[in-house]
Amino acid sequence: MNMVLAKENMNEKNKIWQEAIEALIDPSYGMDEEESAAYMGKIMAKLKSGKNLTQEELNYLSLHNQQLYMTALRVKYQKEALKNRLKNCRSKEEAQEVIDNAIGGVNKDDPDKEYLIAGFREVEKEFKKSGNYSRLPDKDEKSERKKLLKYLDNNYNNEEEAYDNVFNNEKVTPIAELLDILPVFEAKA
């Protein structure tokens, strides 16, 4: 008899613990259908606008919509990767290229395209509001020089020789070379 009572007490204790754990993990614990649907709608709106989901919202998705949970995690990690790439940018122009490449890299057939692009736009907005963005120069001088080297004729043996000659005004661009060989007319007054 005592064994049966002890077993019933254990089952009740287990049920109490299980309910307590569910209440902690599931934010919709105790919600009715309407409230749960409204909560899901709130999460969807945040995801579509590119906002970050709270841990509570992610827990809810993991319990109630596994596919949307995986999408939310993917968006979260892609946004973090974009933020890290933006931290290494040396100019506003480079930052914009990084953002454009991230958005352009989303496949048009990707089922998460809407969420990813919204997330990238949100990261862009946050980054441009930050002090890090305002401190960046408009263009990176070194990248401008590298771009210039790409347009030069490859008449030099190595990049260092080309770099030295270009920036000593020996040769600036193919157009500058053309202008140098054109005749100059002087008008007498």
Side-chain angles (χ1 to χ4, degrees), residues 88-92 94-95 136-137 139-140 142-143 146:
N88 296 323
C89 291
R90 290 190 225 132
S91 69
K92 291 177 182 174
E94 183 182 357
L136 290 175
K139 293 184 177 188
D140 183 21
K142 289 180 182 177
S143 68
K146 286 182 182 179

Side-chain angles (χ1 to χ4, degrees), residues 9-140:
N9 283 341
M10 286 300 286
N11 284 339
E12 278 195 41
K13 284 182 182 179
N14 286 342
K15 286 180 185 175
I16 291 171
W17 277 109
Q18 185 176 3
E19 285 183 29
I21 290 171
E22 283 180 20
L24 289 172
I25 294 175
D26 188 1
S28 67
Y29 182 78
M31 290 184 188
D32 61 18
E33 289 292 321
E34 192 175 298
E35 291 172 328
S36 185
Y39 191 68
M40 178 62 91
K42 176 186 162 197
I43 292 172
M44 290 292 295
K46 279 180 84 172
L47 201 54
K48 284 182 180 179
S49 68
K51 304 276 189 227
N52 293 326
L53 298 180
T54 64
Q55 189 59 48
E56 182 179 287
E57 292 164 337
L58 288 171
N59 288 343
Y60 178 84
L61 289 178
S62 73
L63 294 171
H64 297 283
N65 190 335
Q66 194 66 33
Q67 184 177 3
L68 195 57
Y69 173 71
M70 296 305 290
T71 297
L73 284 182
R74 180 176 175 216
V75 169
K76 177 183 176 181
Y77 294 131
Q78 292 288 327
K79 285 171 60 175
E80 287 175 8
L82 178 58
K83 285 178 188 177
N84 287 333
R85 287 192 304 263
L86 288 171
K87 286 179 186 175
N88 296 323
C89 291
R90 290 190 225 132
S91 69
K92 291 177 182 174
E93 180 183 43
E94 183 182 357
Q96 191 59 52
E97 284 178 19
V98 167
I99 292 166
D100 292 343
N101 287 339
I103 292 171
V106 177
N107 190 328
K108 67 178 182 172
D109 298 328
D110 192 330
D112 304 332
K113 178 182 177 181
E114 175 185 7
Y115 305 120
L116 287 168
I117 290 176
F120 293 154
R121 291 288 180 205
E122 186 66 21
V123 168
E124 176 183 22
K125 188 169 79 174
E126 290 171 6
F127 181 69
K128 287 185 175 180
K129 284 182 183 177
S130 74
N132 292 338
Y133 180 77
S134 61
R135 285 185 284 251
L136 290 175
D138 289 336
K139 293 184 177 188
D140 183 21

